[in-house]
C-alpha cells in the first residue's frame, strides 16, 4: 500500500529553483531556491531515501522527507518531518 503524510511538496510551492547540483550518476544531489534555502537529496543503492530542506547556510533542518520502499523496490511511503 502507498501512503503519504501531507503534501511533501508543500514546502517548495511558489519557490524558484536557482541551481541544481548532480551526482556522478546523474541523480540530483542538491537544489537551491530563490529564498536561499536548499534541498539535499540522499540515496541508497539508487533509491532516493530522503530529501532534507535546510535554511540558507545549511545548518538548520526545516523539513525532512523520508522515502521507504517495499520488498520489490517500489516506493511505499513518504514521511514528512517538520523540525
Amino acid at each position: 500500500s502507498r501512503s503519504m503524510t501531507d503534501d511533501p511538496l508543500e514546502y517548495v510551492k511558489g519557490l524558484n529553483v536557482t541551481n541544481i547540483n548532480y551526482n556522478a550518476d546523474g541523480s540530483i544531489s542538491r537544489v537551491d531556491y530563490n529564498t536561499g534555502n536548499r534541498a539535499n537529496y540522499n540515496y541508497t543503492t539508487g533509491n532516493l531515501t530522503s530529501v532534507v530542506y535546510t535554511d540558507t547556510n545549511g545548518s538548520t533542518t526545516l523539513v525532512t522527507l523520508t522515502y521507504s520502499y517495499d520488498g520489490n523496490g517500489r516506493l511505499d511511503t513518504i514521511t514528512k518531518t517538520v523540525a
Side-chain angles (χ1 to χ4, degrees):
S1 71
R2 193 172 192 185
S3 65
M4 188 176 349
T5 59
D6 302 324
D7 178 358
L9 298 178
E10 178 182 355
Y11 179 71
V12 296
K13 286 181 180 174
L15 298 182
N16 294 316
V17 172
T18 59
N19 184 58
I20 301 174
N21 293 340
Y22 295 90
N23 295 312
D25 67 1
S27 61
I28 295 172
S29 63
R30 188 173 110 184
V31 175
D32 298 330
Y33 297 96
N34 62 317
T35 59
N37 294 354
R38 61 183 71 148
N40 295 294
Y41 290 70
N42 303 294
Y43 303 84
T44 300
T45 61
N47 285 331
L48 179 65
T49 55
S50 67
V51 180
V52 180
Y53 296 93
T54 62
D55 65 358
T56 55
N57 62 16
S59 64
T60 302
T61 298
L62 305 171
V63 176
T64 300
L65 300 178
T66 305
Y67 298 81
S68 62
Y69 299 85
D70 66 17
N72 294 315
R74 296 177 297 214
L75 181 62
D76 186 42
T77 59
I78 303 171
T79 303
K80 181 171 90 174
T81 305
V82 179

